[in-house]
Amino acid sequence: MSAIRDGSLRKTWSTKYTLRSHFDGVRSLAFHPEDLMLMTASDDGTLKYWNLFRNWNGNKKASSVDFEPVHTFRGHDGPVLSCTMNANGECCISGGADSTIRVWNLSCTTGDPYEAYDPAIAGPILREHTDAVWHLKHHPTQPYMVSCSADSRLIWWNTEKMAPLTKLSVSDWGAPTSADTFPGDVARVAASFPHHAAVFDVETGKPVVNFKIPDNAADTVYRIIIHPSLPIAVTAHEDREIRFFDTNTGELLSSMVAHLDAVSALSLDSTGLYLVSGSHDSSLRFWSMDTKTCVQETTIHRKKFDESVYCVAFHPSKNYVASGAADGVCKVYA
């Protein structure tokens, strides 16, 4: 982000790769913590693992049509709704409409797209949830993960033992829509609900801070993310707004109309200086966290059944951004 840190030099993101191997919408994506590898999860029932550094004929300047995933993971019975990488990138964890959470051992893949199948790739299957698992988020440095399900439960997991630690009390707020961890704190998680958002204590399972969403904002909260260094939570709403909250007090710090349709996806870069949002208006917008102004807009994806962008993500350590959408395409920007 060196080009971004200098206010006089603003990075312009442009499409570098287009990944077209999925047959249905791309619901979720996760970058490897260090390498230029990307996992995508789709309504077609598969996850695909992509090597963005080069393709396997050795041509680093390969066009998008030359790209194919180095591995396709099959196991979910129905759409794969979420995926997340563990802290060291050795495994990917996915949640599906079949209510299962599945663990995939990435260290067992050689990177050769034509390798023989290794049964060790498929890890444990976690069956604590009883309905679709809509969102998973692994802690960036510690072996913990939070899961959100349509069974109206939030579960805090130990991913070394692959065992549930706490089932968080979500009261009568309905099914959680997303959750995020606090980078420097493993005692709290934040979660969003159809009309609420809150911070939970993972020891007691109880909410400790309720975000004060305005009464006139009665629409669904689609996403919540936590700033990497400041006590700020960012939420994406169906009413086209992005809102910023203090995670210590729950006070609304600021809000802005961000898109022409529902805001469906959010991601912050590792420095916390820039935010990217995705929307069902088919656009991605890049925002300065300092000024809360849009620094770039790009309309890349196409609509399908009035839905478009499902997910966006900054790479944790490299200058890359990815987006996935209902059109079945994943775009990578650099």
Side-chain angles (χ1 to χ4, degrees):
M1 291 286 175
S2 58
I4 283 181
R5 290 194 185 100
D6 182 348
S8 62
L9 294 173
R10 181 182 299 153
K11 178 173 175 61
T12 300
W13 298 92
S14 58
T15 304
K16 189 171 179 68
Y17 305 118
T18 301
L19 313 179
R20 301 182 183 276
S21 187
H22 283 294
F23 292 110
D24 208 339
V26 178
R27 286 279 179 181
S28 181
L29 46 83
F31 278 109
H32 189 280
E34 297 174 359
D35 298 334
L36 203 50
M37 306 289 287
L38 176 68
M39 184 72 78
T40 54
S42 171
D43 282 346
D44 66 10
T46 68
L47 296 102
K48 294 180 185 287
Y49 197 35
W50 306 83
N51 182 348
L52 303 178
F53 179 67
R54 61 184 177 89
N55 70 347
W56 281 95
N57 62 18
N59 179 11
K60 293 183 181 179
K61 295 183 179 179
S63 67
S64 61
V65 295
D66 297 315
F67 260 88
E68 57 180 296
V70 296
H71 197 90
T72 298
F73 299 86
R74 296 177 174 88
H76 283 282
D77 184 13
V80 188
L81 303 175
S82 183
C83 65
T84 187
M85 292 269 188
N86 72 342
N88 58 19
E90 290 184 356
C91 75
C92 177
I93 305 168
S94 61
D98 59 1
S99 78
T100 65
I101 296 174
R102 294 174 184 259
V103 182
W104 311 95
N105 297 313
L106 303 182
S107 57
C108 296
T109 62
T110 64
D112 181 354
Y114 306 109
E115 67 183 348
Y117 176 70
D118 183 352
I121 286 175
I125 301 173
L126 312 176
R127 303 183 185 273
E128 288 292 319
H129 287 294
T130 58
D131 206 337
V133 181
W134 276 105
H135 194 75
L136 299 172
K137 179 65 177 183
H138 199 282
H139 193 277
T141 59
Q142 302 299 320
Y144 299 104
M145 178 185 74
V146 62
S147 61
C148 302
S149 171
D151 63 9
S152 297
R153 288 194 295 169
L154 278 167
I155 299 181
W156 182 245
W157 301 82
N158 181 317
T159 53
E160 284 184 337
K161 300 176 181 178
M162 291 300 169
L165 295 177
T166 312
K167 296 177 182 178
L168 307 179
S169 172
V170 299
S171 184
D172 54 356
W173 292 340
T177 55
S178 76
D180 200 4
T181 60
F182 286 76
D185 185 358
V186 295
R188 298 182 299 162
V189 295
S192 61
F193 301 86
H195 309 297
H196 297 275
V199 176
F200 290 81
D201 184 307
V202 299
E203 293 292 330
T204 64
K206 304 292 185 182
V208 291
V209 177
N210 288 313
F211 294 137
K212 297 170 184 175
I213 298 173
D215 292 337
N216 60 349
D219 295 303
T220 299
V221 187
Y222 280 128
R223 280 288 178 269
I224 186 168
I225 57 174
I226 299 300
H227 194 280
S229 55
L230 298 175
I232 295 173
V234 189
T235 55
H237 296 255
E238 189 178 8
D239 63 4
R240 303 175 295 145
E241 291 205 5
I242 293 174
R243 294 183 171 91
F244 303 84
F245 294 91
D246 186 315
T247 57
N248 294 325
T249 65
E251 294 291 338
L252 178 65
L253 300 176
S254 64
S255 64
M256 58 191 181
V257 176
H259 285 273
L260 302 176
D261 204 338
V263 186
S264 52
L266 292 173
S267 181
L268 278 160
D269 77 316
S270 58
T271 66
L273 295 175
Y274 286 84
L275 171 76
V276 61
S277 61
S279 167
H280 292 317
D281 66 8
S282 303
S283 74
L284 263 64
R285 292 186 178 181
F286 295 84
W287 306 85
S288 164
M289 282 292 290
D290 182 28
T291 61
K292 307 293 191 298
T293 56
C294 181
V295 295
Q296 185 181 342
E297 177 184 7
T298 178
T299 301
I300 291 293
H301 293 284
R302 292 183 293 177
K303 278 197 173 189
K304 178 182 176 182
F305 302 136
D306 289 329
E307 294 185 328
S308 188
V309 180
Y310 284 144
C311 51
V312 292
F314 276 101
H315 193 288
S317 57
K318 300 184 186 299
N319 278 343
Y320 285 83
V321 177
S323 64
D327 58 7
V329 174
C330 177
K331 301 269 188 178
V332 181
Y333 316 87

